[in-house]
Amino acid sequence: MSSAASADFKEYLFGPWKIAAEEVFVASPHCFAFVNLKPVVPGHVLVSPKRVVARFAELSPEEVSDLWCLAQRVGSALEPHFGASSLTLAIQDGPQAGQTVPHVHVHILPRKAGDFENNDEVYDAIDAASKDAQAAHSGEKLDLDKERKVRTREEMAAEAAELRTLFK
């Protein structure tokens, strides 16, 4: 990972689920970035605090700062890597906001012209992907659409290894 403070961090949790170290591509003192089980666009990743906290207001000031600094660093690396011209950064804070995993996380999506017919459709896609990922983790039957499929651990590890090279 990217810093000495994160080098001895052994277990990554995303709400109630463990995230394999192979799926994490960069970490900071308080946060980590990992690949998405069901990305909405190529390069759609998540940044989350190491401490499992359901709501944004529960983060310490140090965690808030570190979360956004890591999100900025990740977005700055992903945008050119995926040939994007913009980024969507989004937090769904609470169940009524569409949060399906009770752990604060920032969605980072490299964006290109025309990737959605109506630009705001990206938020519906994030919501649907979050629900599908929750179902995949809990063993529920998934309602998969044709364009996006839940990825294997091997596929996610391969993407994380590729992204890890951007942070050396």
Side-chain angles (χ1 to χ4, degrees):
M1 298 302 120
S2 68
S3 72
S6 61
D8 57 0
F9 194 76
K10 301 290 185 218
E11 184 173 68
Y12 295 94
L13 295 175
F14 185 47
W17 299 292
K18 289 183 181 178
I19 298 297
E22 295 80 24
E23 297 167 18
V24 174
F25 58 90
V26 68
S28 60
H30 299 287
C31 300
F32 64 105
F34 57 107
V35 297
N36 201 328
L37 182 66
K38 191 173 180 186
V40 171
V41 295
H44 176 189
V45 300
L46 304 173
V47 176
S48 196
K50 291 175 181 174
R51 184 169 68 95
V52 177
V53 176
R55 300 291 307 277
F56 184 75
E58 298 173 43
L59 294 172
S60 71
E62 295 80 15
E63 289 169 320
V64 169
S65 177
D66 194 54
L67 179 73
W68 285 111
C69 285
L70 186 57
Q72 180 186 47
R73 186 173 167 215
V74 167
S76 294
L78 292 184
E79 188 175 323
H81 182 74
F82 284 96
S85 58
S86 300
L87 296 169
T88 293
L89 293 96
I91 293 180
Q92 296 162 300
D93 191 30
Q96 285 68 45
Q99 182 184 32
T100 56
V101 177
H103 189 163
V104 174
H105 55 286
V106 178
H107 292 263
I108 302 176
L109 293 83
R111 300 293 305 277
K112 298 178 181 179
D115 56 6
F116 286 89
E117 187 174 330
N118 174 354
N119 196 43
D120 284 347
E121 290 173 359
V122 69
Y123 302 109
D124 293 332
I126 290 170
D127 188 45
S130 295
K131 288 176 183 170
D132 286 343
Q134 180 187 32
H137 281 296
S138 64
E140 294 174 34
K141 186 177 179 190
L142 297 178
D143 181 20
L144 299 175
D145 59 52
K146 292 178 185 172
E147 286 92 34
R148 293 184 356 262
K149 295 180 181 170
V150 171
R151 300 187 303 166
T152 66
R153 293 220 178 265
E154 294 78 18
E155 290 170 321
M156 292 190 300
E159 181 182 28
E162 175 187 330
L163 297 179
R164 220 172 276 123
T165 65
L166 302 176
F167 298 94
K168 291 189 181 214

